[in-house]
Structure formats: structure tokens, C-alpha cells
Amino acid sequence: MLSSKFKDFLAFLKSKKILIVTHDLVDIDSLGSCYALKFFLTQYFKNQEIIIYFSELTKSTKNFINNFKVKFPEFNFSYKKDITLSKFDVFLVVDTNNLNQIVFKDNLDISHTNIPYIFIDHHSARKYSNKSVLDLINENYSSTAEIILELCEHFNLKLTIPLKTLIVSAILTDSGFFRHGNNVTILNVSKLLSEDVNIQDILLLLQNDIDISAKIANIKGLQRVKLIRQGNYLIGITNVSSFGASVASMLIKMGFDIGIVISKEQNLNRFNTRAKKTVCIKTGLNLGKILEEISEKYKGSGGGHDGAASLTTSMEPERIALEIINRIKQFII
Ligand SMILES: [Mn+2]
């Protein structure tokens, strides 16, 4: 339980100028956590400076904010993109377990200042530098937003409807819509839902509009796909001019076990590959390794993870494709 720390946490922050920071490419969990935390602190420290700093937001976070603003036009998503670190007395590092993930202009780094920082996070604690006794870390939560929720509950602070909506959105996205969650994840969401905080409305807020050119690439990729059957496994190979990574993921959603997509990128041939996680686990297939080895052989650049990898090369695509397929087949006999 974090509750034993909450009083000290609050006492430490009193009369301090607070900067709330989070990782680059702000996702919906960091977004919701930062604004809920700011709301919480504002209740206790009326005339105190509490600033949020963001470097860059992801495309889906921006999309979410646009949808959110239609529903809650009054909600204030203000944050700073440019700040002077030395003006603050303490940094609250949200949804981040490694200071390297926070990006400032001119390569500033909060660890180079003498200003204390406190982690508020749900990632595994391995990479925390300079652990503080005040850190609020709980790896059992699917999202950082749930730590802020616990904080608000502990002090009986009533959250507003927009903030409840933000926290539910954060929990849903970070838990992969409960796929990576546990009982507590579902309980926390259920606590926040009400007539005014409706799950279907929130799911609509989280819907991402796909770009029309990405949709066309997906459709063309499907029209051109060649099916290769190897035992009980299905490999799909196709080509598109762009959006190769999204087309490769789409092939997996369509039912292929492995998807290979060839596209052109600045006169080079790019291969995007995807494999079902279950296939990788069952067969030992590692696309990252395969593409890395091929890239070394043909002087390209390639690599990735077991189920998602890419390769860029100037070699003719047919030859590379054949080599990729042959190497994949060695695993799925
Ligand atoms: Mn998170």
C-alpha cells in the first residue's frame, strides 16, 4: 500500500514550486495522470506554482484530446513546452521509470540539477535512479492513473466528471482494454463509472480515425497478398508503397500467422514483418534475429523483436523475400 507515504509526500511538496514531467511521446496514461495529479495538488496548495511539462504527444493522444474537447470544452489541457528547470523546487516524474525518457530542449536533464525528484509510476522499478523514500511506485497497477486515483481516494477528494473520464481512458489504454489487467484494474474502472461517466462514450473518445491513405494501403495490401501455407501456419506476403508496418499488423489481424510487407523507402526496399506472439512462443521464431542476420549478410539495416521486425536494403526485393520466407519456414515445419 502506498497510503502510508501519502502524508509525507504532501508535506514535502508544501510551499514548493512543482514541475510535473513525464516521458516523451505522452500517452493517455501520462496525460490523465498528470492532469489528475495537478488537480489533486491544486486542492491543497492554492497559491503554489504547479506546472505540467510535455515534450511531444503521440498521434493518438492528440486525437483523444480533440475528441475529449468536444465533450468537455471547458477542460483546460494547458502545459508548457519550454521551461527553465532551475525555477522549480521539485520534479514529479510521472509514468516514467527512467529519466532518459524525459526529453528537454538543449539536452537538459533533471538529474544534472540539484533539485529533488520523485517518481510516480507503475513500471517495474529496475531503472529508477536515485530512489527517493517519497516515490509512489506500484507495479501491480496497470496504469499510473490508478496511483493518482488511490491518492485522491485516500484524502477523500471528489474527482470531476472530466477527470474520471480521463482516468478511465488512461486505465483502459494502459491495460490494453483489460487484457493485461487484473481484478483491481476492473474494480478501479467500475468505481469511476456512473451515469455521467459512461463506458461506451469513453470507448468512442478512444477511437482513432485512420488516415484515408493508410486505409487505401491496407486495402491494396490485402488485394495483393500471396498466401503461403506451411503445415498449419499461414504466411502472407504483399507489397504497398507506404504504411508497410500498419499493413503487416493488419495481415495478422486478418488471420495470417506471419505477415511480410515490402515497400519502397527513399529508393531502398523496406520489409516490415509481423508474427503472432503465440507462434513465436511455440516455435521459437524470432523475426528480429532473422532480419538482423539477413541485414548483416546484405549490408542493410534490420532488427526488432520476435514478433515485429523490419529490414531496409538496396538488394532486389524478390531475393530478400525468398530468404526471409525460407528462414521462417525452418521454424514452422
Ligand atoms: Mn503508463
Side-chain angles (χ1 to χ4, degrees):
M1 285 300 272
L2 295 168
S3 54
S4 58
K5 290 181 156 190
F6 288 161
K7 236 180 98 190
D8 293 341
F9 174 75
L10 207 58
F12 182 80
L13 296 178
K14 195 173 182 308
S15 310
K16 289 198 169 70
K17 289 185 185 129
I18 303 168
L19 183 68
I20 302 175
V21 295
T22 185
H23 58 81
D24 191 30
L25 292 172
V26 176
D27 60 15
I28 293 172
D29 183 29
S30 355
L31 182 86
S33 303
C34 288
Y35 288 103
L37 179 61
K38 185 175 175 178
F39 170 81
F40 170 81
L41 295 172
T42 319
Q43 307 306 308
Y44 287 91
F45 310 130
K46 296 278 183 228
N47 300 312
Q48 215 167 301
E49 194 162 19
I50 303 161
I51 303 283
I52 295 177
Y53 166 82
F54 290 152
S55 42
E56 188 59 70
L57 287 75
T58 66
K59 220 177 149 189
S60 49
T61 304
K62 287 180 190 162
N63 179 68
F64 171 77
I65 290 177
N66 289 337
N67 295 343
F68 193 91
K69 275 185 178 161
V70 175
K71 201 170 160 61
F72 304 108
E74 306 289 299
F75 193 85
N76 184 1
F77 276 113
S78 68
Y79 64 88
K80 290 252 160 74
K81 264 192 96 100
D82 215 349
I83 32 129
T84 309
L85 292 181
S86 56
K87 278 190 180 164
F88 295 90
D89 301 319
V90 60
F91 304 124
L92 299 182
V93 181
V94 174
D95 196 42
T96 305
N97 66 353
N98 187 341
L99 292 180
N100 295 338
Q101 295 168 356
I102 310 167
V103 175
F104 294 106
K105 278 183 189 151
D106 308 321
N107 286 330
L108 287 172
D109 190 327
I110 62 175
S111 63
H112 295 157
T113 67
N114 287 322
I115 303 163
Y117 46 90
I118 300 169
F119 287 102
I120 303 173
D121 188 36
H122 67 118
H123 296 102
S124 91
R126 263 173 296 134
K127 289 174 192 154
Y128 295 107
S129 43
N130 260 17
K131 270 185 81 70
S132 155
V133 283
L134 296 170
D135 288 342
L136 304 178
I137 295 161
N138 189 340
E139 294 169 35
N140 295 321
Y141 281 140
S142 306
S143 62
T144 299
E146 290 166 88
I147 300 176
I148 315 292
L149 176 65
E150 192 187 326
L151 189 64
C152 294
E153 280 177 336
H154 181 80
F155 291 99
N156 287 321
L157 181 64
K158 258 189 95 166
L159 288 160
T160 63
I161 291 165
L163 282 169
K164 285 182 181 176
T165 305
L166 264 182
I167 295 178
V168 172
S169 307
I171 302 174
L172 286 176
T173 48
D174 253 39
S175 70
F177 295 83
F178 297 129
R179 272 195 307 278
H180 322 298
N182 53 36
N183 290 7
V184 175
T185 321
I186 296 175
L187 279 171
N188 277 335
V189 167
S190 75
K191 275 193 249 174
L192 293 162
L193 296 176
S194 65
E195 211 175 308
D196 296 321
V197 186
N198 181 296
I199 189 79
Q200 286 302 330
D201 293 347
I202 295 175
L203 290 175
L204 276 178
L205 292 180
L206 290 168
Q207 227 155 60
N208 255 324
D209 291 331
I210 308 176
D211 196 71
I212 186 145
S213 36
K215 285 186 202 167
I216 293 172
N218 277 344
I219 293 163
K220 286 193 173 168
L222 260 189
Q223 284 173 325
R224 296 171 187 157
V225 71
K226 205 176 121 200
L227 164 68
I228 302 164
R229 180 171 178 171
Q230 169 90 344
N232 281 325
Y233 295 103
L234 305 176
I235 305 173
I237 180 161
T238 188
N239 63 84
V240 286
S241 46
S242 49
F243 298 101
S246 111
V247 176
S249 303
M250 186 253 327
L251 289 178
I252 302 302
K253 283 185 204 135
M254 292 308 299
F256 289 99
D257 296 294
I258 294 144
I260 304 166
V261 180
I262 310 163
S263 49
K264 278 257 185 241
E265 209 169 80
Q266 291 154 356
N267 292 327
L268 293 171
N269 294 305
R270 176 143 178 114
F271 288 80
N272 279 291
T273 62
R274 294 286 183 276
K276 271 192 187 141
K277 192 80 194 161
T278 46
V279 175
C280 296
I281 292 168
K282 212 168 152 187
T283 65
L285 174 72
N286 187 324
L287 293 172
K289 248 188 188 163
I290 292 176
L291 294 198
E292 201 184 319
E293 281 165 18
I294 296 177
S295 75
E296 277 161 15
K297 192 169 159 190
Y298 296 104
K299 293 194 179 71
S301 72
H305 310 281
D306 54 355
S310 64
L311 163 67
T312 311
T313 168
S314 56
M315 295 294 290
E316 52 174 313
E318 293 75 17
R319 187 161 155 198
I320 302 291
L322 195 67
E323 180 131 2
I324 295 174
I325 292 165
N326 285 340
R327 291 203 188 206
I328 289 172
K329 280 183 173 171
Q330 289 170 2
F331 289 89
I332 54 171
I333 316 160

